[in-house]
Amino acid sequence: SVYLDVSSIGARRRVMRGALLLACAASASALSWGALRSPFSKHVLAPGAASPAVLRAPVPAVSRSGIASVSAVAELSRKSSTRKGKDDAYRADLESRMWSYVRERGGDTLIRRVLIANNGMAATKTIMSIQKWAYKTFGDEHAVEFVVMASAEDLAANAEFIRRADEFVEVPGGPNTNNYANVQLIVDLCISQNVDALFVGWGHASENPKLGEMLKRKSVELGRTITFVGPTSPVMRVLGDKIGSILLAQKAGVSTMPWNGDGMTADLQADGTLPQDQFDAACIFSIEQAIETANRIGYPVMLKASEGGGGKGIRKADNEEMLRIAYPQVLTEVPGSPIFLVSYCSGARHLEVQVVGDKHGNAIALGGRDCSTQRRFQKIFEEGPPLIAPDHIFDQMMRQAVDLCRSIGYQSAGTVEWMYQPADDKFFFLELNPRLQVEHPVTEGITDVSLPGTQLHVAMGIPLYNVPEVRRFWGADYDGVGEIDLTHFKPSSEYPKHVMAARITAENPDEGFKPTSGKIDRINFQSDTKVWGYFSVVADGGVHEFADSQFGHLFATGETREEARKALVLALKELFIMGDIRTTVEYLGELLETERFKMNTIDTAWLDGLIRDKSVSVEAAPMNAVINAAVYRGYKVIQDTIASFKGSLEKGQLSTLALRELQSMPFELTYKDVKYSFTVSPKAPDVFTLTLAPSGQEIEVRTREQADGSLYVAYGSETHQLYAKEEPLGLRMVLDGVTVLLPNVFDPSEFRSDVTGKLVRYLVDDGAEIKAGQPFAEAEAMKMLITIRAGEAGKISHALQAGSIINQGDLLATLELKDPTKVKKIFPFEGTLTYDMPAAAEETTLQAFRSSRKALELVMDGYVIEAEPQVQKMLSALSSIDLVISELRGAMAGLGNKLPAELDVSLQAVLSRAATEHVRGEDTAEVAVLVAATADKIAAYIAKQPPAKQTELKPVVAPVHAVIDTYGRGLRENAMAVVAALLERFMSVESVFAGQPKDVALSAMLKASPNNLDSVYSTALAHEQLKPRTSLAVTLVRSLYTFPERFGVVKAAGPPQELGVVTRIAEMPGSEYKELALVASQFERFQSEKPFPEVVSELKAELQAAGVDSTAVSRSVVTNALLALFEDAEVATAAMQVAIKRFYRAYDILQMETVTREGGVVVTEFKYKAADKTQGDAPAPVRYGQLAVLPDLASVGEAIPTLLQSYDPEDTSMPVNVLHLALRKSIDTGAGAEEATVAAAQAAVQAAAEQLKAKGIRYVSVMVPNPPKWPRIFAFTSNKEFAEDLQRRDMYPTMYNMLELDLLQNWAPVRLPAISHNSVVLLGQQGTKPRVAQRLFARGVTHSEGMDSAEVAEVALLKALDELQLAFLDKRVLPTASSYLFLHVLPPIARSPAELIKGFEEIMAGLITKHATRLLKLSVDEIEVRVHSEDAGGKRQAVRLMATSMGGQWLKTDGYVEYLDPVTGVTVAYCALEDGEEGMCYIEPYPVASELSAKRAVARRIGTTYAYDFLGLFEKGVVSEWQGGLAAGPRDT
């Protein structure tokens, strides 16, 4: 056998048609409906018995499983066999039990097979109710089989009733006159499908008396019994007609409202009909007659179609003009129906009595309902019991309703409707609906009586008093049989619960509740003990234009009305529906929360009043709407671009243009007449930045697409759930449960449809003049007539013909605008968008590491993120012990209760001690101790446990051991591994492209992975951003140079294993990798790192071979290695003298001698003076100094007086001399060791203060070895009474002066961490909040030669920018801080000042152009380079080279020669050179913040560029473009 699964109803239909053709081909006999009926039907229909109507559409009933897939012919056969084989004996027993049930209760007909001539809610609810009853009664929900009619539209919409039915028959699509209201078709199907009964539900043909009559006549002709479930046709004709029911009510003396038939009566004839003349007398036949009646009874009035219902065929008119418009609308909505006019009852409530009658003359009232919440006379909420009416009043309503039913022999379920006026307790008869109403589950909820089930019992001839659920409601035995008193009416106050219902409709509350149609992607609803609901469609279904707008119903119950209301509110909040349609869900929730509804003081006009006044609305906050709309469109733009690129790959198109455009894509949206312009830039697979023009505001957004197609959106501190869809009329979103529409901006001269349906007619002639707001057309949508109004005034031109099928967005008419200047305009948004921002929180070291590493990984993956700050943040974290402590704590926390408490306490103590005793700069050594102590604690604990427990514990502590293993190699080694991983990420992409054209590489990837386009896309995306990725790789390789200083370790012995990737990078071919390969090659040469002992040994060899003078200017000298040689007998003197020459390189060393003093103390004495020109060539004083090597800190106190005895300066009149003490013993380790060292040294120095002053000593330094790191240096100055000068700590003796730090005192600088020991970074601040001005000063010295070359200068600039990058990570630095760079070049340059200045201007112009973006981001406002020009005679002149923005132009270059104060060494004059000659001289120390810098700070604060800076950037950009063009060479023409 063959099994074919088909997952959609539309596909099923095609399969069934194919199956039918196969069946025809295989059969020699003529096709007959009897042969294709259900294989388990009771009756056999002879061939040819089907009517012509059926033969014109020969589609058989299809047996179905009730799940959302159907099989073809073989599956149908299999299912039929299965159900037959359930087996025949079971089926016979079931039928016997059902007959016994019916006969025991006085019935005479068994109904086993039912046709439902309806769709949507009616069909769904009927099947649900009767299947529930069948299962409870007979244990088989399929005891009654259901055949349903299925139009093409319902099949395509995946309608729920089709899924629930046992079988379906396809019927013609289109309006209901083709199908569910086609009486002939329904009767023919009843016969052809061999059914026992016909259920009609509500709507369609449910109130058409011709249906029952024709069915009865056909049944008699064929000798069949097919029961119509409903009242008899004569009674339906008279009561189903509103006019007839009012006439009968007046005949019975029931109170009615004033209408056109006042005082008229009708005589019920023997056949249950009314005389035609009496009926016609009560009808309206013309608009003039309607106006005459309205004038008589007074406005407002209601114009009604007698056969209307469900809000159709009913209009309110407040005046004659409205009545003239309403008349044709009512005629159109219910074609052929008689019309009548009744007075509008103001302030009234709409109450209903649920009645049921049987053929035995019984009639009952099953309580009532309050349906007063209506919109355009269509019910919105229903509730029961109706508490607004006193018990005795509603008792009268029920009694009169039952009497009326009995008097006419009413059978089946019906509803008597009343208008009740609470003010005077009067009530008026409205109509009797001879059918089940959509709100009947409210009655079921309060009475526990199934109305479809009761209808079935009545149809089988069972008296009402023998229906089990009816008996229970009247307090009788549920399973009993026999008459009971049905004349008692249960008061509303005695019901133990209240039920409230809400209709879920496909209508747009923002557009006057216009019907909408289309696909439904998702319905999310969960029933509970308080709420239940049902829907006529399911996910992937829909609501078509010929369906009723209602597709769902929710019911909430509670002990009180208020409890039921709250339960319904919560249910509506939880209900989610997404698709092409609009719904009223959110609006209903708001209605339930209004005060009048809560207090139950509404009337039938209440809701229409709210709609008219727009006093209830459901809106998202405008800013939320705009941002989330931008999020969706930005997300969609990115995804569409990616999809387009992949689609191109599938076609063999290898262009990566789409990926280049992906980095910055513009789009616009309009909301409430304001246009917003955005640019979207992806920052990660799930992150992008929205940039708003023109403000430049950036919003970082994180998104995640859920399985249901929704977007989880996060930005700032806000999170949202967003469903969105682009529709013909614009973007529709469901934002956190609230629907938001951003309409497209249409031409005001075009009128477009906002509904799907049929254009009924134009209300104005083609070419006529119309006014804004005037109705110009009518459309029919979902059985409703919709008025379409003009948006502007002018002359109209029709675009379609009446009767045309229209969709949303279709052009209906064009307009020649009367006054184009008055048309509403769209203005661009010029501000910033507001949203909740997270509270400022400082990142932990672990968070900083993870976030920066992730950011750098994303850069390597091709996303545009500023990399430099992330590099510094990552390296700063990697060099901190806090990272290791956090990693260990995180691993322990992840174990939870698995980690033994004793071990947890022990490990926590180790970590706490490490954090408490941490000494700045000792991270590497402390981490080694920490990981060892942690490992020891774990090992010791496990060793104490029994063997079995030890085995269990080892995998438990594995996560902690993983951290120990990571950092056990050392902080630097771990950092190398992290950097290497990032470089490997770079190489994994570029190894694909290196050495071959891009298209060849892409083609090769496609061949290798034809089914993995995601991999090809991600690789191509990364390569497309080669330039920033290469720049990051260069930065990472450069950072490796700083590792020995950054981590305080010696160079590794040989190339580190982790950095093998650098070797591969150095070998990369191609000009695009040239710079990176060069940097990698240079690092490889630098990589010949040596252990500290080897460095000391080599320095010793250099001292022995080259001597003091040569070694002193050698770039390879490591100062901490020099200190290690101070006690080497062979080179101690040379080492000390080299140290002095390097410390005082900017001075002239006049004399130097090393001697051994008393006690074996080695002392180097030296005399020196300033080398640069002084003001007026005044002679500089000769200064004197000593460098003494002492055994340890304890010896300092005794050594100073001894040293001073031989201290012999030339000048003691002023403090110009120095004393340096170098200790052989290192500083103690541990917390507090540094403070103790400083205190001891300071005490020793201050004890000799008077003696020091007498010798003219201004500066005493104590140098403590700290191998392999830079020695610790503590300075004690005379101007501080020889207390420690913290600003000079860890600076070698002359560094403070060479960095000119005294000039920064106006800014009260605070020292920040720096990468290099030759650099100092300070944060200066002036003013108080909110007007705080900050400056970052990155100042350094260099011993490098060749600073007059572009290559060496660029290296120095990049190192300074790295220092700034690290500084900006400090939480104390404001984003508005400006930056100032200063570099003091110590080696003299053999060029004239004029040559130096000119060369500087050329070099600096190139560097600023090349690095303009980074300079601007780091807010660099000034760059100073102090160099020393040396002539042939060895005379030196200090030259100040500057690039400054202080004059306005951004980083304008200049140069000055300097003249020093001979005593202080401070520059006292800066003289410009004009044509090689000195011009104007002036003094300019660092001033307080100027007005210019304040304006620049304001610009930075708001995230923009200061105007003067922009001009500079523009200049650099033009130069850069020219340079690129020149480098590329001439273009071929």
Side-chain angles (χ1 to χ4, degrees), residues 718-784:
E718 297 186 17
T719 58
H720 301 277
Q721 187 175 30
L722 171 64
Y723 298 78
K725 193 169 188 177
E726 295 285 0
E727 298 178 344
L729 295 179
L731 173 64
R732 182 160 63 88
M733 305 186 297
V734 179
L735 177 59
D736 300 328
V738 177
T739 299
V740 182
L741 179 65
L742 282 78
N744 292 331
V745 179
F746 287 115
D747 185 341
S749 66
E750 296 179 346
F751 295 155
R752 295 186 176 272
S753 171
D754 57 357
V755 297
T756 297
K758 182 176 74 175
L759 177 63
V760 176
R761 61 173 178 154
Y762 287 101
L763 300 177
V764 295
D765 295 334
D766 193 17
E769 293 284 339
I770 61 170
K771 299 176 182 178
Q774 179 183 342
F776 75 88
E778 288 180 342
E780 182 182 357
M782 304 177 76
K783 309 180 191 176
M784 296 291 290

Side-chain angles (χ1 to χ4, degrees), residues 1147-1355:
Y1147 296 82
D1148 280 338
I1149 305 295
L1150 304 176
Q1151 179 182 336
M1152 184 162 51
E1153 181 183 6
T1154 303
V1155 297
T1156 303
R1157 302 290 188 195
E1158 182 182 344
V1161 176
V1162 179
V1163 178
T1164 297
E1165 299 176 295
F1166 59 99
K1167 292 180 180 180
Y1168 65 102
K1169 69 174 183 176
D1172 294 308
K1173 283 188 177 183
T1174 59
Q1175 181 77 4
D1177 287 328
V1182 175
R1183 304 167 186 265
Y1184 176 81
Q1186 283 188 0
L1187 169 59
V1189 180
L1190 303 177
D1192 53 31
L1193 183 60
S1195 64
V1196 171
E1198 293 182 6
I1200 291 177
T1202 303
L1203 291 170
L1204 292 180
Q1205 290 176 7
S1206 59
Y1207 194 92
D1208 187 21
E1210 288 189 10
D1211 188 351
T1212 60
S1213 62
M1214 49 187 170
V1216 293
N1217 305 312
V1218 296
L1219 174 63
H1220 306 304
L1221 307 175
L1223 308 184
R1224 291 192 179 98
K1225 184 179 179 183
S1226 299
I1227 192 171
D1228 291 337
T1229 59
E1234 181 179 275
E1235 289 74 13
T1237 299
V1238 172
Q1242 180 172 299
V1245 174
Q1246 286 184 325
E1250 293 304 320
Q1251 296 169 273
L1252 294 169
K1253 290 179 181 179
K1255 296 290 186 178
I1257 295 176
R1258 64 176 181 84
Y1259 176 92
V1260 178
S1261 69
V1262 177
M1263 294 180 283
V1264 185
N1266 191 27
K1269 295 185 291 185
W1270 189 256
R1272 304 303 308 278
I1273 301 175
F1274 306 103
F1276 308 90
T1277 56
S1278 60
N1279 64 343
K1280 290 185 176 291
E1281 298 299 325
F1282 293 105
E1284 189 202 7
D1285 189 338
L1286 284 170
Q1287 291 189 357
R1288 297 172 185 260
R1289 180 179 286 189
D1290 292 330
M1291 293 186 193
Y1292 58 80
T1294 57
M1295 187 175 182
Y1296 182 89
N1297 295 326
M1298 285 190 286
L1299 294 180
E1300 301 180 347
L1301 297 185
D1302 275 335
L1303 299 180
L1304 308 183
Q1305 296 313 304
N1306 285 340
W1307 289 88
V1310 175
R1311 198 164 168 185
L1312 302 180
I1315 299 171
S1316 170
H1317 64 266
N1318 283 325
S1319 298
V1320 171
V1321 181
L1322 301 134
L1323 174 63
Q1325 183 168 302
Q1326 292 179 355
T1328 56
K1329 291 183 179 181
R1331 297 187 178 277
V1332 174
Q1334 279 192 346
R1335 287 186 180 181
L1336 270 177
F1337 301 98
R1339 306 176 79 80
V1341 297
T1342 179
H1343 290 272
S1344 298
E1345 305 279 354
M1347 285 302 294
D1348 52 343
S1349 70
E1351 293 77 10
V1352 178
E1354 182 175 20
V1355 171

Side-chain angles (χ1 to χ4, degrees), residues 20 24 31 60 292 361 370 541 627 767 982 1010 1111 1118 1159 1318 1362 1402 1457 1529:
L20 183 58
C24 291
L31 175 66
E292 180 184 348
D370 186 340
I627 293 174
L982 289 169
T1111 306
V1118 181
N1318 283 325
D1362 286 346
E1402 294 175 354
V1457 294

Side-chain angles (χ1 to χ4, degrees), residues 272-284:
T273 63
L274 301 178
Q276 191 64 43
D277 59 335
Q278 294 179 356
F279 183 85
D280 289 346
C283 296
I284 297 287

Side-chain angles (χ1 to χ4, degrees), residues 44-211:
V44 176
L45 182 62
S51 71
V54 176
L55 292 177
R56 284 196 295 272
V59 181
V62 180
S63 296
R64 304 185 57 255
S65 66
I67 60 173
S69 64
V70 173
S71 305
V73 179
E75 171 65 0
L76 290 176
S77 175
R78 182 186 66 77
K79 285 183 61 181
S80 301
S81 301
T82 301
R83 295 188 64 170
K84 267 191 169 182
K86 196 171 183 180
D87 51 23
D88 290 340
Y90 169 80
R91 296 185 56 76
D93 174 68
L94 175 62
E95 184 155 336
S96 174
R97 287 188 288 122
M98 293 179 72
W99 264 116
S100 296
Y101 178 90
V102 172
R103 288 170 178 152
E104 286 172 2
R105 284 160 177 76
D108 54 15
T109 302
L110 177 61
I111 295 176
R112 290 290 313 279
R113 185 171 169 82
V114 172
L115 173 71
I116 299 181
N118 215 309
N119 64 344
M121 301 291 293
T124 303
K125 177 57 170 61
T126 300
I127 297 172
M128 288 171 56
S129 294
I130 293 180
Q131 285 185 342
K132 181 180 179 181
W133 165 80
Y135 183 80
K136 288 171 63 179
T137 306
F138 304 109
D140 188 341
E141 68 273 24
H142 294 287
V144 178
E145 297 159 1
F146 288 96
V147 180
V148 297
M149 303 163 64
S151 69
E153 291 83 6
D154 281 324
L155 286 164
N158 202 18
E160 173 72 357
F161 75 95
I162 302 175
R163 186 186 73 84
R164 287 182 174 273
D166 296 284
E167 301 170 19
F168 71 86
V169 179
E170 185 175 354
V171 295
N176 67 352
T177 52
N178 296 348
N179 38 67
Y180 305 107
N182 187 321
V183 172
Q184 180 68 55
L185 175 62
I186 294 169
V187 172
D188 289 340
L189 288 175
C190 285
I191 296 167
S192 68
Q193 297 307 307
N194 207 11
V195 300
D196 301 320
L198 171 65
F199 266 85
V200 290
W202 52 85
H204 297 308
S206 63
E207 296 183 59
N208 190 339
K210 296 177 183 177
L211 180 57

Side-chain angles (χ1 to χ4, degrees), residues 68 290 382 394 483 490 519 522 533 645 711 1301 1347 1374:
E382 304 98 354
F394 199 70
E483 293 191 30
K490 189 171 185 176
K519 188 172 181 291
R522 182 186 178 201
F645 173 71
L711 283 181
L1301 297 185
M1347 285 302 294
L1374 300 176

